[in-house]
Amino acid sequence: MTMLLNITINGQQRTFEIDAKQTLLELLRSQPEYQSVHRSCEEGECGACTVLLDGEPVNSCLILAASVEGATVLTSEGLVRQGQPHPLMQAFTAELGIQCGFCTPGMLMNSYALISGAGDIELTDQQIRKSLEGNLCRCTGYVNIVNAVKKAQQAKNGGQWW
Ligand code: FES
Ligand code: FES
């Protein structure tokens, strides 16, 4: 069964004809604009498919597209502004928090939610690791990712954030 879905993705209102059984991940992967959203386990275990749904990080592989009528979705493509990488992306690059890059978009979206919701007090390693425990990385050992999140929070506290 097909149906129409109205949704806002990265600030753009979109309408899609979807299959009622299609996941949000499958919908995003079917569109060339959202290829940062990665497909891996499709069981909610790896976090590669993480996007923000109405501001909250979710595993898009576990969500039926039909259930998000009227919602707002943010993918890491939506963090780029006028061709400029987001300060969070810059921090991941500067701290070498990216190796193969497969986990990175999911890491970015979870980190973005964490930092955006955090106050001025510096996040601890433990808080960052707890927040990112659903995002698996087989390359970095996480230390550089934790450092990148800290650097990004400093950028936010310095007024460099959008
Ligand atoms: S692909 Fe969604 S959590 Fe792994
Ligand atoms: S950088 Fe390769 S999986 Fe994280």
Side-chain angles (χ1 to χ4, degrees), residues 57-126:
V58 295
N59 292 323
S60 59
C61 67
L62 297 183
I63 292 177
L64 285 176
S67 72
V68 299
E69 169 69 25
T72 297
V73 170
L74 185 66
T75 74
S76 67
E77 288 92 347
L79 295 179
V80 176
R81 182 185 275 182
Q82 294 171 342
Q84 290 297 312
H86 190 278
L88 175 61
M89 296 168 158
Q90 295 175 32
F92 266 71
T93 303
E95 293 295 326
L96 305 178
I98 304 170
Q99 286 188 24
C100 81
F102 193 80
C103 71
T104 307
M107 288 283 183
L108 288 172
M109 299 321 294
N110 221 332
S111 304
Y112 180 80
L114 174 67
I115 297 168
S116 295
D120 292 348
I121 298 172
E122 190 178 331
L123 290 161
T124 64
D125 286 28
Q126 198 179 13

Side-chain angles (χ1 to χ4, degrees), residues 25 38-50 58-62 102 134 136:
L25 171 62
H38 288 162
R39 181 201 306 249
S40 183
C41 70
E42 295 188 82
E43 293 180 346
E45 295 293 335
C46 74
C49 65
T50 305
V58 295
N59 292 323
S60 59
C61 67
L62 297 183
F102 193 80
L136 304 185

